[in-house]
C-alpha cells in the first residue's frame, strides 16, 4: 500500500514539473501549460501576479479575466497555452499554469546578444561581445564561437578584418543548449594622405617642391586673385563690358526716338501756321432780294391793240 502511495506522489511531482523556454528579445514565444485540456478553470500567473483566468460553465468558456501587469497587453491564451509577442527582457521569470487545480511551473529565459560599441567596428579598435540571459538566479554557461566555429572569449582587442561575419553564442542550462547569432561588420579605417613636404629654399628665397617642373600646375592650382581664378575674372570682365554696351545702345536709341518726335512736332506746327486757301468759283452774283415793307410798282398796262378783221 505504501508503494502505491509513493508511486502516486512521484507521478504527481513529475506531472507538476515544468519546462524551461528560451527565446530572444523582439520575438514571439508560446509557453505550454502541460495539460491536454481543462474542464473547470485555467489560470496563468507570472510569479505571484495573475495574467489570465478562464472559467468553464455549462461546457462553455467564459470571458477571460485579465490581470494588471504590463505583460498582459502583449499576451493571449490560445486554447491552454500562453502566447507572448514582442518579448522584452522584463518578461523573463517564473510562470505558473494552473488547470483544474493542477499546477505546472515553467521558466522563461530571455537572451539578448549585442556588441559594444554597436554598429560597424573599425579595424584596430576594441569591442566586447555580450550574451546575457535573464530569468535565472545564476548566470548559465555562455560560450562564444567565431565565424570559423572556433571558441572565443568575446573580447576583441584589437578588431581584425577576419572578425567580420556571424558569431554564435551558445547557452547551456540543465542539459539544454540554445544558440543565438550576432552579425559583426568590420570596416577599414579611413586613411588620409600626408601633406607634401617642401624641399629646401631656393636661392631667390621661394620654396620649391620636387616634381613641380615635370608636373605643371593644373587649372585648379592656378594662382588666385582676391579668392578667384584669373579665368573667372575674365568672365566677369566680359559680362560687365556687354552690360555697358547694352546700356549705351539703349540710351542712343531713346535719344533718336526723341529727336524724331521733336521733328514731327515742328512739322505739324508749321502746317498749322499757313493760311487756308479756299476754292473760288466764277458765277453771276445773286439778285438782291427786295426789301420788305415796300410795295412793288405795278407795271403799266400794255396798250391794247385792235383786232384785225379779215
Amino acid at each position: 500500500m505504501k508503494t502505491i502511495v509513493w508511486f502516486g506522489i512521484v507521478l504527481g511531482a513529475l506531472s507538476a514539473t515544468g519546462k524551461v523556454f528560451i527565446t530572444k528579445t523582439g520575438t514571439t514565444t508560446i509557453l505550454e501549460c502541460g495539460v491536454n485540456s481543462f474542464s473547470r478553470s485555467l489560470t496563468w500567473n507570472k510569479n505571484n501576479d495573475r495574467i489570465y483566468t478562464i472559467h468553464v460553465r455549462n461546457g462553455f468558456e467564459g470571458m477571460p479575466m485579465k490581470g494588471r501587469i504590463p505583460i498582459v497587453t502583449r499576451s493571449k491564451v490560445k486554447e491552454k497555452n500562453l502566447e507572448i509577442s514582442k518579448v522584452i527582457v522584463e518578461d523573463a521569470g517564473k510562470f505558473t499554469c494552473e488547470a483544474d487545480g493542477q499546477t505546472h511551473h515553467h521558466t522563461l529565459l530571455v537572451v539578448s546578444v549585442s556588441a559594444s560599441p554597436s554598429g560597424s567596428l573599425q579595424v584596430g579598435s576594441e569591442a566586447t561581445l555580450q550574451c546575457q540571459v535573464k530569468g535565472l538566479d545564476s548566470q548559465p554557461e555562455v560560450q562564444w564561437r567565431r565565424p570559423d566555429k572556433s571558441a572565443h572569449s568575446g573580447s576583441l582587442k584589437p578588431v581584425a578584418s577576419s572578425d567580420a561575419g556571424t558569431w554564435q553564442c551558445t547557452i547551456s542550462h540543465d542539459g539544454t543548449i540554445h544558440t543565438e547569432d550576432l552579425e559583426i561588420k568590420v570596416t577599414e579605417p579611413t586613411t588620409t594622405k600626408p601633406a607634401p613636404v617642401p624641399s629646401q629654399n631656393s636661392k631667390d628665397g621661394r620654396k620649391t617642391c620636387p616634381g613641380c617642373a615635370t608636373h605643371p600646375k593644373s587649372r585648379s592650382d592656378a594662382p588666385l586673385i582676391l579668392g578667384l581664378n584669373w579665368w573667372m575674372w575674365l568672365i566677369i570682365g566680359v559680362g560687365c563690358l556687354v552690360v555697358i554696351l547694352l546700356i549705351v545702345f539703349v540710351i542712343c536709341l531713346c535719344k533718336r526716338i526723341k529727336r524724331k518726335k521733336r521733328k514731327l512736332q515742328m512739322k505739324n506746327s508749321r502746317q498749322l501756321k499757313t493760311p487756308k486757301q479756299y476754292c473760288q468759283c466764277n458765277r453771276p452774283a445773286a439778285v438782291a432780294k427786295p426789301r420788305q415793307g415796300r410795295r412793288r410798282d405795278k407795271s403799266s398796262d400794255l396798250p391794247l391793240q385792235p383786232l384785225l378783221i379779215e
Side-chain angles (χ1 to χ4, degrees), residues 105-127:
H105 300 281
H106 305 291
T107 302
L108 176 62
L109 305 182
V110 179
V111 182
S112 60
V113 292
S114 61
S116 179
S118 59
S120 299
L121 305 179
Q122 289 188 358
V123 176
S125 63
E126 296 183 359

Side-chain angles (χ1 to χ4, degrees), residues 196-202 206-215 217:
V197 180
S199 62
Q200 297 179 354
N201 296 341
S202 59
R206 290 180 298 177
K207 294 182 179 180
T208 59
C209 60
C212 291
T214 56
H215 300 283
K217 291 184 179 180

Side-chain angles (χ1 to χ4, degrees), residues 242-254:
V242 171
V243 172
I244 293 173
L245 293 177
L246 183 61
I247 294 174
V248 172
F249 174 76
V250 172
I251 294 173
C252 295
L253 183 62
C254 293

Side-chain angles (χ1 to χ4, degrees), residues 19 64 159 170 248-249:
K19 294 183 179 180
V159 177
T170 304
V248 172
F249 174 76

Side-chain angles (χ1 to χ4, degrees), residues 286-304:
V287 179
K289 295 182 179 181
R291 295 181 178 178
Q292 296 181 359
R294 294 182 180 182
R295 297 180 178 179
R296 295 181 179 180
D297 296 336
K298 295 183 179 179
S299 59
S300 59
D301 295 336
L302 295 176
L304 298 176

Side-chain angles (χ1 to χ4, degrees), residues 4 31-32 83 92 114 131 203 231 276:
I4 296 175
L31 305 183
E32 299 177 358
E83 179 180 312
S114 61
C131 183
K203 294 181 180 180
W231 54 272
K276 296 183 179 180

Side-chain angles (χ1 to χ4, degrees), residues 18-19 21 30-35 44 80-82 97 104-106:
K19 294 183 179 180
F21 299 93
I30 297 177
L31 305 183
E32 299 177 358
C33 179
V35 297
W44 273 99
K80 55 190 176 298
N81 301 325
L82 181 66
C97 176
H104 298 265
H105 300 281
H106 305 291

